[in-house]
Amino acid sequence: MRSDEWSHGFLVWNLSLGSCLESPENTISPEASMLDQLQNEYDIVFVVAGTNKTQEDSPTQPKCIWAPADSSNSLVVNATSILKEPASYTREGPVLNFFRKPDISCFGGDATEQMAAWSPQGVNLTTGTSFAAPWITRKMAYLIYVMHFSRETAKAMLIDAASGWEKISADNIKVGYGIVPTKIEDILTTPSNEIRFILEGTITSFETYNYRIQCQW
């Protein structure tokens, strides 16, 4: 089956759902395995919510993410408050003890300020990683459909824009590599003192490249 037959031509998929259980240390969920397989076979990408704590969970006790946010190939999104801090309900990785999950974060609302979302009853104020993920899905779709970047480049652009040059704290694993900028222009452009190179390809055997760049000051 071709990619367009299975996905009807859609390359970017949002999954705002998740299990309340925690990921085991040495395995991933069947759901995550299936997502990884689909992305590998059909050249699509899933943007997955990082899952939330339940009302019964302690707000101060860490809780590990699980299905399907333990997918290694998916772009997993956690939520932050308007103050750009991890939301109180967010969960954390890693997956398999070495995959940093979530990958990135975006505003999803918290007690300080909730997110306005549409419901059958009209506009409601709510919170959750399920509402943060669609914002990243929109940006991913823009990079692929409008800017014509590949799936890998689009994902790398979002992570690069989120991480920036600041050192990532090993303790702040709830935000992943960082918080994605709100404006798409801040993802596509660089400051005047920065140059971004995009190198893309497939390495079938071990190769090493050295690029000597001469700079004049």
Side-chain angles (χ1 to χ4, degrees), residues 115-126 131:
M115 178 181 288
W118 181 259
S119 73
Q121 292 75 36
V123 178
N124 283 338
L125 295 179
T126 186
F131 302 99

Side-chain angles (χ1 to χ4, degrees), residues 58-113:
S58 169
T60 58
Q61 184 70 23
K63 185 174 183 179
C64 190
I65 62 176
W66 203 31
D70 55 335
S71 166
S72 58
N73 292 333
S74 297
L75 190 61
V76 180
V77 182
N78 250 8
T80 66
S81 69
I82 196 67
L83 302 176
K84 296 186 176 182
E85 298 175 344
S88 59
Y89 50 81
T90 54
R91 293 157 69 173
E92 60 192 56
V95 173
L96 297 177
N97 280 323
F98 57 88
F99 273 109
R100 177 184 282 268
K101 294 290 176 179
D103 295 288
I104 51 181
S105 293
C106 182
F107 174 68
D110 208 347
T112 52
E113 184 169 341

Side-chain angles (χ1 to χ4, degrees), residues 10-30:
F10 295 105
L11 303 178
V12 185
W13 296 75
N14 182 86
L15 292 181
S16 289
L17 47 82
S19 170
C20 61
L21 301 177
E22 292 188 87
S23 173
E25 290 185 0
N26 301 314
T27 186
I28 63 174
S29 64

